[in-house]
PDB file of all heavy atoms in Angstrom:
ATOM      1  N   MET N 191      16.263 -15.386 -16.239  1.00 88.00           N
ATOM      2  CA  MET N 191      15.375 -14.214 -16.502  1.00 88.00           C
ATOM      3  C   MET N 191      14.056 -14.796 -16.935  1.00 88.00           C
ATOM      4  O   MET N 191      13.991 -15.572 -17.917  1.00 88.00           O
ATOM      5  CB  MET N 191      15.885 -13.366 -17.612  1.00 88.00           C
ATOM      6  CG  MET N 191      17.352 -12.823 -17.430  1.00 88.00           C
ATOM      7  SD  MET N 191      17.317 -11.727 -16.024  1.00 88.00           S
ATOM      8  CE  MET N 191      18.948 -11.177 -16.046  1.00 88.00           C
ATOM      9  N   ARG N 192      12.930 -14.420 -16.219  1.00 90.00           N
ATOM     10  CA  ARG N 192      11.637 -14.983 -16.634  1.00 90.00           C
ATOM     11  C   ARG N 192      10.766 -13.788 -16.975  1.00 90.00           C
ATOM     12  O   ARG N 192      10.501 -12.850 -16.153  1.00 90.00           O
ATOM     13  CB  ARG N 192      11.027 -15.726 -15.429  1.00 90.00           C
ATOM     14  CG  ARG N 192      11.932 -16.851 -15.003  1.00 90.00           C
ATOM     15  CD  ARG N 192      11.523 -17.482 -13.693  1.00 90.00           C
ATOM     16  NE  ARG N 192      11.360 -16.486 -12.632  1.00 90.00           N
ATOM     17  CZ  ARG N 192      11.089 -16.782 -11.324  1.00 90.00           C
ATOM     18  NH1 ARG N 192      10.813 -18.071 -11.075  1.00 90.00           N
ATOM     19  NH2 ARG N 192      11.055 -15.907 -10.396  1.00 90.00           N
ATOM     20  N   GLY N 193      10.175 -13.860 -18.192  1.00 90.00           N
ATOM     21  CA  GLY N 193       9.200 -12.863 -18.633  1.00 90.00           C
ATOM     22  C   GLY N 193       9.754 -11.466 -18.731  1.00 90.00           C
ATOM     23  O   GLY N 193       8.987 -10.522 -18.734  1.00 90.00           O
ATOM     24  N   PHE N 220     -10.109   7.069 -12.873  1.00 82.00           N
ATOM     25  CA  PHE N 220     -10.970   6.824 -14.049  1.00 82.00           C
ATOM     26  C   PHE N 220     -12.385   6.591 -13.529  1.00 82.00           C
ATOM     27  O   PHE N 220     -13.353   7.059 -14.187  1.00 82.00           O
ATOM     28  CB  PHE N 220     -10.533   5.580 -14.823  1.00 82.00           C
ATOM     29  CG  PHE N 220      -9.393   5.927 -15.818  1.00 82.00           C
ATOM     30  CD1 PHE N 220      -8.056   5.942 -15.282  1.00 82.00           C
ATOM     31  CD2 PHE N 220      -9.634   6.213 -17.085  1.00 82.00           C
ATOM     32  CE1 PHE N 220      -7.030   6.195 -16.164  1.00 82.00           C
ATOM     33  CE2 PHE N 220      -8.571   6.595 -17.947  1.00 82.00           C
ATOM     34  CZ  PHE N 220      -7.277   6.548 -17.491  1.00 82.00           C
ATOM     35  N   ARG N 392     -12.799  17.455 -12.338  1.00 92.00           N
ATOM     36  CA  ARG N 392     -12.245  17.697 -13.686  1.00 92.00           C
ATOM     37  C   ARG N 392     -10.780  18.356 -13.516  1.00 92.00           C
ATOM     38  O   ARG N 392      -9.985  18.276 -14.445  1.00 92.00           O
ATOM     39  CB  ARG N 392     -13.108  18.554 -14.550  1.00 92.00           C
ATOM     40  CG  ARG N 392     -13.411  19.919 -13.957  1.00 92.00           C
ATOM     41  CD  ARG N 392     -14.480  20.697 -14.810  1.00 92.00           C
ATOM     42  NE  ARG N 392     -14.791  21.981 -14.259  1.00 92.00           N
ATOM     43  CZ  ARG N 392     -15.662  22.202 -13.324  1.00 92.00           C
ATOM     44  NH1 ARG N 392     -16.349  21.180 -12.826  1.00 92.00           N
ATOM     45  NH2 ARG N 392     -15.881  23.385 -12.953  1.00 92.00           N
ATOM     46  N   LEU N 404       4.672  11.320 -12.172  1.00 86.00           N
ATOM     47  CA  LEU N 404       5.942  11.814 -11.840  1.00 86.00           C
ATOM     48  C   LEU N 404       6.571  11.169 -10.553  1.00 86.00           C
ATOM     49  O   LEU N 404       7.760  10.967 -10.455  1.00 86.00           O
ATOM     50  CB  LEU N 404       5.933  13.384 -11.648  1.00 86.00           C
ATOM     51  CG  LEU N 404       5.624  14.127 -12.939  1.00 86.00           C
ATOM     52  CD1 LEU N 404       5.423  15.596 -12.669  1.00 86.00           C
ATOM     53  CD2 LEU N 404       6.669  13.967 -13.921  1.00 86.00           C
ATOM     54  N   SER N 408       9.993   9.113 -10.202  1.00 82.00           N
ATOM     55  CA  SER N 408      10.937   9.386  -9.085  1.00 82.00           C
ATOM     56  C   SER N 408      11.411   8.075  -8.394  1.00 82.00           C
ATOM     57  O   SER N 408      12.535   7.982  -7.898  1.00 82.00           O
ATOM     58  CB  SER N 408      10.348  10.310  -8.015  1.00 82.00           C
ATOM     59  OG  SER N 408       9.421   9.581  -7.181  1.00 82.00           O
ATOM     60  N   GLU N 431     -14.029  -3.107 -14.046  1.00 87.00           N
ATOM     61  CA  GLU N 431     -15.262  -3.127 -14.855  1.00 87.00           C
ATOM     62  C   GLU N 431     -15.926  -4.511 -14.770  1.00 87.00           C
ATOM     63  O   GLU N 431     -17.127  -4.576 -14.802  1.00 87.00           O
ATOM     64  CB  GLU N 431     -14.815  -2.772 -16.273  1.00 87.00           C
ATOM     65  CG  GLU N 431     -15.987  -2.792 -17.300  1.00 87.00           C
ATOM     66  CD  GLU N 431     -17.176  -1.916 -16.892  1.00 87.00           C
ATOM     67  OE1 GLU N 431     -16.965  -0.993 -16.113  1.00 87.00           O
ATOM     68  OE2 GLU N 431     -18.331  -2.196 -17.322  1.00 87.00           O
ATOM     69  N   HIS N 432     -15.175  -5.555 -14.475  1.00 89.00           N
ATOM     70  CA  HIS N 432     -15.778  -6.883 -14.445  1.00 89.00           C
ATOM     71  C   HIS N 432     -15.677  -7.418 -13.053  1.00 89.00           C
ATOM     72  O   HIS N 432     -15.710  -8.654 -12.820  1.00 89.00           O
ATOM     73  CB  HIS N 432     -15.017  -7.836 -15.434  1.00 89.00           C
ATOM     74  CG  HIS N 432     -15.333  -7.356 -16.831  1.00 89.00           C
ATOM     75  ND1 HIS N 432     -16.630  -7.502 -17.406  1.00 89.00           N
ATOM     76  CD2 HIS N 432     -14.516  -6.731 -17.793  1.00 89.00           C
ATOM     77  CE1 HIS N 432     -16.577  -6.977 -18.644  1.00 89.00           C
ATOM     78  NE2 HIS N 432     -15.300  -6.571 -18.886  1.00 89.00           N
TER      79      HIS N 432
ATOM     80  N   ARG T  10     -20.583  -6.697 -22.989  1.00 83.00           N
ATOM     81  CA  ARG T  10     -19.954  -6.932 -21.577  1.00 83.00           C
ATOM     82  C   ARG T  10     -19.361  -8.274 -21.391  1.00 83.00           C
ATOM     83  O   ARG T  10     -18.284  -8.481 -20.971  1.00 83.00           O
ATOM     84  CB  ARG T  10     -21.088  -6.673 -20.562  1.00 83.00           C
ATOM     85  CG  ARG T  10     -20.514  -6.119 -19.261  1.00 83.00           C
ATOM     86  CD  ARG T  10     -21.612  -5.714 -18.388  1.00 83.00           C
ATOM     87  NE  ARG T  10     -21.318  -6.186 -16.998  1.00 83.00           N
ATOM     88  CZ  ARG T  10     -20.347  -5.801 -16.318  1.00 83.00           C
ATOM     89  NH1 ARG T  10     -19.534  -4.885 -16.755  1.00 83.00           N
ATOM     90  NH2 ARG T  10     -20.121  -6.279 -15.110  1.00 83.00           N
ATOM     91  N   SER T  13     -16.299  -8.565 -23.494  1.00 90.00           N
ATOM     92  CA  SER T  13     -15.164  -7.833 -22.797  1.00 90.00           C
ATOM     93  C   SER T  13     -14.616  -8.654 -21.724  1.00 90.00           C
ATOM     94  O   SER T  13     -13.322  -8.782 -21.550  1.00 90.00           O
ATOM     95  CB  SER T  13     -15.674  -6.490 -22.269  1.00 90.00           C
ATOM     96  OG  SER T  13     -14.778  -5.865 -21.391  1.00 90.00           O
ATOM     97  N   ASP T  31       7.934 -19.217 -21.046  1.00 94.00           N
ATOM     98  CA  ASP T  31       9.182 -18.506 -21.053  1.00 94.00           C
ATOM     99  C   ASP T  31      10.153 -19.074 -19.931  1.00 94.00           C
ATOM    100  O   ASP T  31      11.361 -19.229 -20.157  1.00 94.00           O
ATOM    101  CB  ASP T  31       8.925 -16.995 -20.794  1.00 94.00           C
ATOM    102  CG  ASP T  31      10.149 -16.208 -21.137  1.00 94.00           C
ATOM    103  OD1 ASP T  31      10.652 -16.258 -22.228  1.00 94.00           O
ATOM    104  OD2 ASP T  31      10.657 -15.473 -20.213  1.00 94.00           O
ATOM    105  N   ARG T  35      13.788 -21.062 -20.346  1.00 90.00           N
ATOM    106  CA  ARG T  35      14.948 -20.576 -19.726  1.00 90.00           C
ATOM    107  C   ARG T  35      15.684 -21.676 -18.865  1.00 90.00           C
ATOM    108  O   ARG T  35      16.879 -21.835 -19.016  1.00 90.00           O
ATOM    109  CB  ARG T  35      14.747 -19.419 -18.701  1.00 90.00           C
ATOM    110  CG  ARG T  35      14.031 -18.254 -19.328  1.00 90.00           C
ATOM    111  CD  ARG T  35      14.888 -17.299 -20.056  1.00 90.00           C
ATOM    112  NE  ARG T  35      14.136 -16.358 -20.891  1.00 90.00           N
ATOM    113  CZ  ARG T  35      14.597 -15.570 -21.797  1.00 90.00           C
ATOM    114  NH1 ARG T  35      15.894 -15.560 -22.049  1.00 90.00           N
ATOM    115  NH2 ARG T  35      13.837 -14.725 -22.444  1.00 90.00           N
ATOM    116  N   ASN T  41      13.323 -22.720 -10.674  1.00 86.00           N
ATOM    117  CA  ASN T  41      12.784 -21.737 -11.594  1.00 86.00           C
ATOM    118  C   ASN T  41      11.224 -21.932 -11.698  1.00 86.00           C
ATOM    119  O   ASN T  41      10.546 -20.870 -11.987  1.00 86.00           O
ATOM    120  CB  ASN T  41      13.371 -21.959 -12.986  1.00 86.00           C
ATOM    121  CG  ASN T  41      13.262 -20.755 -13.805  1.00 86.00           C
ATOM    122  OD1 ASN T  41      13.237 -19.617 -13.253  1.00 86.00           O
ATOM    123  ND2 ASN T  41      13.212 -20.894 -15.079  1.00 86.00           N
ATOM    124  N   ARG T  73     -23.054  -1.112 -17.175  1.00 63.00           N
ATOM    125  CA  ARG T  73     -23.243  -0.197 -15.980  1.00 63.00           C
ATOM    126  C   ARG T  73     -22.688   1.218 -16.325  1.00 63.00           C
ATOM    127  O   ARG T  73     -23.096   2.126 -15.768  1.00 63.00           O
ATOM    128  CB  ARG T  73     -22.551  -0.785 -14.794  1.00 63.00           C
ATOM    129  CG  ARG T  73     -23.227  -1.888 -14.166  1.00 63.00           C
ATOM    130  CD  ARG T  73     -22.467  -2.574 -13.146  1.00 63.00           C
ATOM    131  NE  ARG T  73     -21.172  -2.966 -13.639  1.00 63.00           N
ATOM    132  CZ  ARG T  73     -20.202  -3.458 -12.950  1.00 63.00           C
ATOM    133  NH1 ARG T  73     -20.395  -3.747 -11.652  1.00 63.00           N
ATOM    134  NH2 ARG T  73     -19.094  -3.894 -13.453  1.00 63.00           N
ATOM    135  N   GLU T 118     -14.249  20.951 -18.512  1.00 91.00           N
ATOM    136  CA  GLU T 118     -13.913  22.376 -18.208  1.00 91.00           C
ATOM    137  C   GLU T 118     -13.851  23.169 -19.485  1.00 91.00           C
ATOM    138  O   GLU T 118     -13.096  22.727 -20.463  1.00 91.00           O
ATOM    139  CB  GLU T 118     -12.592  22.437 -17.439  1.00 91.00           C
ATOM    140  CG  GLU T 118     -12.167  23.815 -17.053  1.00 91.00           C
ATOM    141  CD  GLU T 118     -13.223  24.517 -16.117  1.00 91.00           C
ATOM    142  OE1 GLU T 118     -13.555  24.012 -15.129  1.00 91.00           O
ATOM    143  OE2 GLU T 118     -13.604  25.664 -16.533  1.00 91.00           O
ATOM    144  N   VAL T 135       4.936  21.393 -10.248  1.00 86.00           N
ATOM    145  CA  VAL T 135       5.397  19.980 -10.050  1.00 86.00           C
ATOM    146  C   VAL T 135       6.797  19.741 -10.588  1.00 86.00           C
ATOM    147  O   VAL T 135       7.515  19.054  -9.903  1.00 86.00           O
ATOM    148  CB  VAL T 135       4.283  19.005 -10.758  1.00 86.00           C
ATOM    149  CG1 VAL T 135       4.783  17.653 -10.791  1.00 86.00           C
ATOM    150  CG2 VAL T 135       2.971  19.093 -10.011  1.00 86.00           C
ATOM    151  N   TYR T 145      17.660  12.734 -10.207  1.00 75.00           N
ATOM    152  CA  TYR T 145      17.710  12.232 -11.605  1.00 75.00           C
ATOM    153  C   TYR T 145      17.626  13.521 -12.540  1.00 75.00           C
ATOM    154  O   TYR T 145      17.043  14.544 -12.184  1.00 75.00           O
ATOM    155  CB  TYR T 145      16.523  11.350 -11.963  1.00 75.00           C
ATOM    156  CG  TYR T 145      16.269  10.269 -10.940  1.00 75.00           C
ATOM    157  CD1 TYR T 145      15.010  10.164 -10.396  1.00 75.00           C
ATOM    158  CD2 TYR T 145      17.248   9.427 -10.572  1.00 75.00           C
ATOM    159  CE1 TYR T 145      14.742   9.182  -9.523  1.00 75.00           C
ATOM    160  CE2 TYR T 145      16.952   8.481  -9.575  1.00 75.00           C
ATOM    161  CZ  TYR T 145      15.679   8.353  -9.112  1.00 75.00           C
ATOM    162  OH  TYR T 145      15.430   7.411  -8.132  1.00 75.00           O
TER     163      TYR T 145
END
Side-chain angles (χ1 to χ4, degrees):
Chain N
M191 306 293 185
R192 303 170 301 184
F220 280 82
R392 58 186 181 277
L404 292 174
S408 77
E431 179 52 25
H432 294 291
Chain T
R10 209 172 134 65
S13 166
D31 191 59
R35 302 280 168 187
N41 201 29
R73 286 171 305 179
E118 181 60 56
V135 169
Y145 318 124

